Structures are given as C-alpha cells and as structure tokens.
Amino acid sequence: APPPPPRAVAPADAPTVVVLPGFGNDQVDYRAPLGLPEECGLVAALERRGFAVAVAPVDRGDWLKVLTEGWRDADFFFKERGGVASPAFAWYAEKVSAAVAAVDGPVLLLGHSAGGWLAKLACLADDDVATRCAAIVSLGAPHAPPPAGVP
C-alpha cells in the first residue's frame, strides 16, 4: 500500500533539508533503507511533505577514516576528543560542504546520530555552511553526557 498523505507540508520557502548520515551509515540508508523501496526512506518521507532534500555523499567505507586518519590526532586518539581540524572527522565536514554547495539557498542540516554533532563541526569548519544553515535538527545525536545522577 502507498504511504498515507502527509498531515503537514513544508512552506514554499522552506530550506533544503541536507541529511547527514550517522556513524557507519551510508547515504543509501536514507533513500532505500535495508534495500526497501525508496518510498520507505527518509528522503521520500520528507519529499512527500514538500521539502527539497539532499543527502551528504557519505559511503559506509568512509567511516574507516575515523581510525585510519584519527590515529594522527593525539587528542582524538588518546583523549577521545578532536578539534575542528582533526583528520578523524575533517573528511565528514568536507562531505557536508559538498552537499551544501550542490544546492541553492538556505539549508536545514538534519543529522542522524553522529551526524547531529558533526553538523556543528561542519558549521565551524566551513563559513559557507554556517552562513547558509538555517537550523540544525538532530535525531538521536549524543550532544553531551547525561547529567550527574541520571542512569
């Protein structure tokens, strides 16, 4: 059965949604997840609601760069944190920059999991991304540890 019609639609001047894949995910996971038909994907769901959508061109194998490039950054490798220029994730910021450059006008960065906090990195790493970013929406993104006393 086809998906039901949306209950809400985007305004005509809505920014383009740029989907930022989560750790280990591939751009196809947001178009045709688990090999399902495209109408089941996040991209199609947003398009049915009137949004223009792009997905950052991240391939599953790109995530190996976190290890193969991250070892060169002592802060990342030993302290599990990295700066804006850390090679562990600089490649991701470049992918976001490419996706934003490929569309016109303002963008809404929609980050899934690690894509949520990497959206902030992309804005810090590229002034064009920061200037064109109307909003960041994160889905299941770990922005900070839970407060003390919360299990």
Side-chain angles (χ1 to χ4, degrees):
R7 287 180 253 168
V9 294
D13 62 347
T16 298
V17 175
V18 178
V19 178
L20 307 183
F23 191 87
N25 286 109
D26 188 291
Q27 58 191 316
V28 73
D29 297 337
Y30 304 90
R31 296 186 188 285
L34 303 171
L36 294 170
E38 286 192 9
E39 65 261 16
C40 296
L42 176 63
V43 170
L46 291 168
E47 288 174 341
R48 281 193 299 276
R49 288 160 176 79
F51 288 98
V53 183
V55 181
V58 174
D59 297 317
R60 207 168 316 284
D62 289 335
W63 291 101
L64 292 173
K65 295 176 188 173
V66 173
L67 299 175
T68 62
E69 301 294 324
W71 72 270
R72 295 185 293 147
D73 179 351
D75 277 343
F76 172 79
F77 195 72
F78 294 111
K79 299 177 185 172
E80 295 184 9
R81 64 175 188 240
V84 172
S86 173
F89 292 109
W91 64 271
Y92 193 97
E94 291 169 7
K95 300 272 185 170
V96 175
S97 294
V100 170
V103 300
D104 294 324
V107 297
L108 181 151
L109 300 178
L110 176 60
H112 167 234
S113 190
W117 57 267
L118 288 169
K120 295 186 288 187
L121 168 84
C123 287
L124 292 170
D126 184 335
D127 289 339
D128 185 54
V129 172
T131 301
R132 294 182 53 204
C133 182
I136 295 174
V137 175
S138 59
L139 305 173
H143 291 287
V150 174

